[in-house]
Amino acid sequence: MLSGNSIGKTLVATCFGESHGPCVGAVVDGCPAGLPITFDDIQTELNKRNPGLTAVSTPRREEDQVEILSGVFNGHTTGAPICLIIGNRDVEPEAYEQMRHKPRPGHADYIAYMKYGGFNDYRGGGRFSGRVTAAYVAAGAIAKKLLTQISVEVLAHTVQIGKIKITKNVSYDQIRENVYDNAVRCAVLESADLMEKEILKAAEEGDSLGGVVEVIALNVPAGLGEPVFDSLDSDIAKMMFNIPAVKGVEFGAGFQVASLKGSENNDAYVIRKGKVTSPTNNAGGVLGGLSTGMPIVLRVAFKPTSSIAKRQKTVDLTKMKETEIEVAGRHDLCIVPRAVPVVESCLALVLTDHALRAGKIPKVIKA
Ligand SMILES: Cc1cc2nc3c(=O)[nH]c(=O)nc-3n(C[C@H](O)[C@H](O)[C@H](O)COP(=O)(O)O)c2cc1C
């Protein structure tokens, strides 16, 4: 297969659509029959990604109303492919005319033009737009619902924006309660305030910021993952790198392991309440490509939004001359806040695929 628009082996999500076309959407195939699912289950997840009226996100106003076209009947999944679409209503393709032959530095414009011979939909980045992640979130809502069958919970939060990092330990309850109550999706409210100010400061200079999202999955059964090439961490990392603007993924202690000694990095085994566990989780919940039963913990690094107001050097492809560009269109000043529910959905999709492969979720869900 030449295309790369599907992911998963048992729960297969195929995503389609472009930023300024009629819609984006997903077909989720392999979902067990009998899963209770409502419009609200999916819409609630999409609303978390919706920019709304915050000062730090794109001024593009999309309602992001999902339509369920197939695979759900009488409030339950039928076992047939589930097709979900989300209309693009607030399109503004004219803003992208100047970029048709003047690629934005840091975006995919130039390389997409070269790969597809100029036939690609260049409006708003087309297929390379962050808009496609609305489809990931819609598909992820089905995955999240399936994970509730085995009590797995996925939580994500912003831990860094620009140079502002959270320094305190954050409880799961703080994440549950605070993340969607502030514009930057941070669980520590004092830091949220500083992060928002940092983004607005960069925006005043015509610039943008990046940051880091941490995601945690709780109650994941031990043994998910199919070594060697479908190991759990490699599938998760692949999924995360499918999110536009992701430049790094680290599990548990991550890159810090390079400077630790074995004795410092190893998670010792102890017995608590008759069960084998570890007091530390430097492994981030994965060893040998298999879930250990400890929380799965990873951090995903996002680059600063490439579409910035500041004047930048580029080329005019029609004249083959150097020129400059001030990027028009409506853009997120920082991608991180809107990426939080996307990261959550992506982890849910991979865990569900592996839980189905391991037979942890039944093929028919009975009440
Ligand atoms: C939720 C989300 C929103 C995004 N919004 C923008 C945006 O407004 N402007 C922009 O230039 N890039 C945005 N991006 C990132 C670009 O899509 C991405 O940088 C581009 O496709 C190039 O891909 P790469 O950064 O992965 O190499 C967004 C990404 C995500 C996940």
Side-chain angles (χ1 to χ4, degrees):
M1 194 163 64
L2 285 172
S3 75
N5 297 302
S6 303
I7 195 147
K9 290 242 161 99
T10 307
L11 188 81
V12 183
T14 303
C15 294
F16 56 87
E18 290 88 13
S19 180
H20 286 60
C23 69
V24 292
V27 175
V28 180
D29 200 7
C31 178
L35 179 75
I37 195 115
T38 63
F39 165 84
D40 282 345
D41 288 327
I42 305 171
Q43 195 57 50
T44 305
E45 293 302 316
L46 277 167
N47 291 348
K48 293 182 185 171
R49 184 194 158 281
N50 195 305
L53 286 167
T54 78
V56 297
S57 59
T58 173
R60 179 172 172 175
R61 290 285 157 261
E62 287 291 354
E63 278 178 30
D64 279 349
Q65 284 268 319
V66 69
E67 273 184 74
I68 307 171
L69 297 190
S70 65
V72 179
F73 179 59
N74 284 339
H76 292 81
T77 55
T78 61
I82 303 167
C83 181
L84 306 167
I85 60 166
I86 305 133
N88 294 328
R89 309 262 182 253
D90 188 13
V91 294
E92 193 187 69
E94 320 75 50
Y96 295 92
E97 273 316 307
Q98 62 143 347
M99 295 168 216
R100 186 167 184 187
H101 298 110
K102 275 197 204 176
R104 287 170 291 176
H107 213 290
D109 303 347
Y110 174 65
I111 198 64
Y113 178 90
M114 295 303 285
K115 180 171 169 76
Y116 300 105
F119 286 102
N120 58 299
D121 183 346
Y122 54 86
R123 301 166 302 167
R127 191 76 184 120
F128 298 88
S129 165
R131 177 101 193 113
V132 300
T133 60
Y136 301 5
V137 172
I142 311 271
K144 277 191 168 183
K145 201 73 203 269
L146 280 166
L147 288 177
T148 61
Q149 296 293 314
I150 51 169
S151 304
V152 171
E153 184 184 13
V154 181
L155 299 168
H157 62 132
T158 299
V159 295
Q160 182 177 345
I161 283 184
K163 294 201 169 68
I164 311 286
K165 294 182 188 179
I166 59 165
T167 44
K168 291 182 187 164
N169 283 339
V170 180
S171 71
Y172 300 140
D173 274 340
Q174 262 178 300
I175 302 177
R176 288 184 192 109
E177 280 160 28
N178 295 342
V179 163
Y180 290 103
D181 274 352
N182 63 81
V184 294
R185 310 309 191 209
C186 179
V188 182
L189 298 177
E190 310 89 83
S191 306
D193 203 37
L194 293 175
M195 287 172 178
E196 187 169 345
K197 288 193 176 114
E198 193 78 348
I199 299 174
L200 296 175
K201 201 166 90 195
E204 272 170 29
E205 293 156 13
D207 228 323
S208 63
L209 292 180
V212 179
V213 176
E214 181 174 75
V215 62
I216 303 150
L218 302 172
N219 303 322
V220 178
L224 298 191
E226 303 301 332
V228 286
F229 294 119
D230 291 350
S231 63
L232 191 63
D233 42 359
S234 59
D235 275 1
I236 293 172
K238 175 172 176 162
M239 186 80 212
M240 294 301 161
F241 278 109
N242 287 319
I243 306 174
V246 167
K247 282 292 171 189
V249 174
E250 60 171 18
F251 286 82
F255 270 60
Q256 264 187 31
V257 296
S259 56
L260 295 179
K261 294 187 178 137
S263 56
E264 293 168 323
N265 183 52
N266 291 345
D267 299 311
Y269 289 116
V270 294
I271 299 195
R272 295 283 177 269
K273 296 182 188 160
K275 282 191 180 161
V276 176
T277 182
S278 299
T280 56
N281 189 17
N282 288 330
V286 189
L287 283 173
L290 302 169
S291 56
T292 61
M294 293 290 284
I296 299 206
V297 184
L298 57 139
R299 282 172 299 281
V300 184
F302 285 84
K303 72 185 195 185
T305 317
S306 61
S307 302
I308 50 173
K310 239 183 194 163
R311 190 173 280 268
Q312 300 174 83
K313 277 190 170 179
T314 186
V315 289
D316 185 327
L317 295 168
T318 53
K319 299 181 185 142
M320 282 310 275
K321 281 209 162 129
E322 291 182 10
T323 179
E324 291 192 328
I325 186 168
E326 277 170 68
V327 177
R330 297 158 298 173
H331 300 281
D332 291 296
L333 302 171
C334 176
I335 290 159
V336 172
R338 295 185 59 215
V340 167
V342 179
V343 168
E344 249 175 61
S345 303
C346 285
L347 183 56
L349 279 164
V350 179
L351 292 177
T352 308
D353 185 36
H354 277 281
L356 284 163
R357 280 172 86 169
K360 301 283 181 193
I361 301 176
K363 291 273 184 298
V364 175
I365 291 163
K366 299 197 174 111

